[in-house]
Amino acid sequence: MTPRRVRDTVLRVEGESPYDVVVGHDLSERLPQMLGVSVQRVAVVFSDALAELVRPVLDSLAAAYDVMVLPIPDGERAKKAAVAASCWEALGDAGFTRSDAIVTFGGGATTDLGGFVAATWLRGVRVVHVPTTLLAMVDAAVGGKTGINTRSGKNLVGAFHEPAGVLCDLSLLRSLPRPELVAGLGEVVKCGFIADPVILDLVEDHDVDTLTADSPVLRELVERAVGVKVDVVTADLRETGGTGSHPGREVLNYGHTMGHAIERTENYRIRHGEAVAIGCVYVAELAARAGTLAPDLVDRHRSAFASVGLPTTYSKAAFDDLLRAMKVDKKSRGSQLRFVVLADLAVPTVLAGPSVADLRDAYAAIGGRR
């Protein structure tokens, strides 16, 4: 007997341009519905490392659309102005119009770059994201942020451009290298601390080795993490601020100020989710020194990230180098650093202008060099 297929989960992102995020298995048949009936031509932006994995998607689209391929470099090497320009030139040569559409297929770097190309070509064309990594499913593909890197830092050039839909096809995670899946859990655990503590219970109660592409627990973690992001971006799409003391969309950058600084000093050789895990532990230590977070929650940061195999210490860079990198963080205001911190579990707030002494001490607490 053929096993009954588990029903797809559909999470609706409301706002100016509502769209669905679908979580399930073998979702490629949903692509035409998300692209819409008026689309005739589709450009597929994908990492050149995924040339074989993307083939079924290309074949499926070719049955209904004129398909052009836009392979790009793998990982953060894709997020450069030169790569975006090469995509623009290809679209121009093909006569790509505003009624055509883009599909991104890959990890977060592909989603960011492909979304940015969609946002800027003819001031905006339709885009559907098909993330192939856990990190992209729970982070980059949802929320409409697109961007590229510069020498000064990560994602400093970009645009808000909401997709027409997102397909989180868990089947694609079967081919994902294990270290990449574990790294993606960094963003998942982060969501547990900022909004949904059930996520923490799930990762603490299950062995990380059981979290596979076909695991019901991993599926629930994806759905919960996506749900956190959907709620946040629905309330504050363009990061203009939350209500009361809540940071609004900035809350999604929990752990990212230090995390991005580590990525930059490592020349992006460290995985994003690993850097975020370290950054979350760092900011928990910083919040403790500022008097907003109890020691037991600092300890839980360490234990929760460690339970899924993520790093919680860092010592490869000098503090002053990281401080310079943090000062170009997008949340900074003038010369003042701002950090999303916790006042309690799932109670985020903003810490503005912490002392250099506290910043330095928090780095020492995660094993760093003063």
Side-chain angles (χ1 to χ4, degrees):
M1 179 182 295
T2 302
R4 184 172 61 87
R5 173 170 169 163
V6 177
R7 194 180 190 90
D8 299 334
T9 301
V10 180
L11 297 100
R12 186 70 168 171
V13 184
E14 300 293 351
E16 296 175 9
S17 303
Y19 61 95
D20 290 336
V21 180
V22 183
V23 181
H25 287 85
D26 304 314
L27 301 177
S28 58
E29 72 276 7
R30 285 181 174 267
L31 257 178
Q33 177 186 353
M34 286 188 166
L35 287 169
V37 296
S38 63
V39 172
Q40 294 184 347
R41 184 164 28 187
V42 177
V44 182
V45 178
F46 62 94
S47 164
D48 52 17
L50 301 180
E52 290 302 315
L53 192 63
V54 76
R55 181 55 55 188
V57 173
L58 296 177
D59 291 344
S60 175
L61 288 172
Y65 306 99
D66 178 11
V67 177
M68 63 181 292
V69 296
L70 292 176
I72 59 175
D74 191 37
E76 293 293 323
R77 294 182 299 121
K79 292 176 59 174
K80 297 180 178 179
V83 177
S86 69
C87 292
W88 294 325
E89 294 298 341
L91 295 176
D93 291 344
F96 209 74
T97 71
R98 191 169 286 169
S99 62
D100 299 322
I102 289 175
V103 170
T104 71
F105 183 92
T110 299
T111 298
D112 285 350
L113 182 282
F116 182 65
V117 170
T120 50
W121 183 251
L122 300 178
R123 298 187 178 90
V125 296
R126 196 172 182 85
V127 61
V128 173
H129 297 309
V130 185
T132 61
T133 66
L134 176 59
L135 180 68
M137 289 179 185
V138 301
D139 185 30
V142 180
K145 272 192 177 180
T146 74
I148 57 176
N149 303 333
T150 70
R151 286 194 301 271
S152 297
K154 187 171 180 178
N155 298 331
L156 296 180
V157 176
F160 290 99
H161 187 62
E162 292 178 273
V166 179
L167 295 178
C168 295
D169 189 341
L170 300 173
S171 304
L172 296 172
L173 299 181
R174 292 171 186 152
S175 61
L176 188 68
R178 189 66 188 176
E180 295 293 339
L181 188 142
V182 169
L185 290 170
E187 289 283 359
V188 175
V189 174
K190 176 206 77 176
C191 288
F193 279 110
I194 64 173
D196 185 357
V198 173
I199 289 174
L200 303 180
D201 297 334
L202 287 169
V203 299
E204 290 166 344
D205 292 345
H206 293 84
D207 191 307
V208 66
D209 292 336
T210 67
L211 303 181
T212 64
D214 299 300
S215 160
V217 177
L218 183 65
R219 176 172 178 151
E220 182 176 355
L221 288 171
V222 171
E223 291 172 355
R224 286 184 173 276
V226 171
V228 168
K229 188 156 192 182
V230 167
D231 289 344
V232 170
V233 300
T234 296
D236 182 22
L237 173 65
R238 298 184 181 275
E239 210 166 277
T240 55
T243 57
S245 62
H246 194 283
R249 185 167 180 157
E250 278 190 341
V251 73
L252 299 172
N253 287 320
Y254 187 64
H256 283 55
T257 300
M258 174 59 84
H260 282 166
I262 290 172
E263 286 182 280
R264 184 182 171 200
T265 58
E266 290 275 335
N267 198 24
Y268 304 105
R269 288 186 294 269
I270 187 172
R271 295 179 178 89
H272 177 70
E274 295 169 343
V276 166
I278 297 167
C280 287
V281 176
Y282 172 79
V283 83
E285 290 284 0
L286 181 62
R289 279 153 182 77
T292 74
L293 193 63
D296 63 317
L297 282 177
V298 179
D299 293 340
R300 194 175 187 187
H301 278 69
R302 283 194 168 83
S303 62
F305 285 108
S307 73
V308 295
L310 288 167
T312 59
T313 62
Y314 185 77
S315 61
K316 292 183 180 179
F319 172 76
D320 288 340
D321 292 336
L322 292 169
L323 181 60
R324 280 191 292 271
M326 286 193 288
K327 285 182 176 178
V328 297
D329 181 79
K330 296 187 296 298
K331 294 186 298 302
S332 297
R333 300 291 185 270
S335 61
Q336 186 183 69
L337 280 172
R338 298 168 75 254
F339 292 83
V340 176
V341 297
L342 296 182
D344 201 347
L345 185 60
V347 184
T349 188
V350 170
L351 174 64
S355 70
V356 174
D358 281 352
L359 292 168
R360 199 179 291 273
D361 287 348
Y363 186 49
I366 66 168
R369 294 175 281 153
R370 291 175 180 271

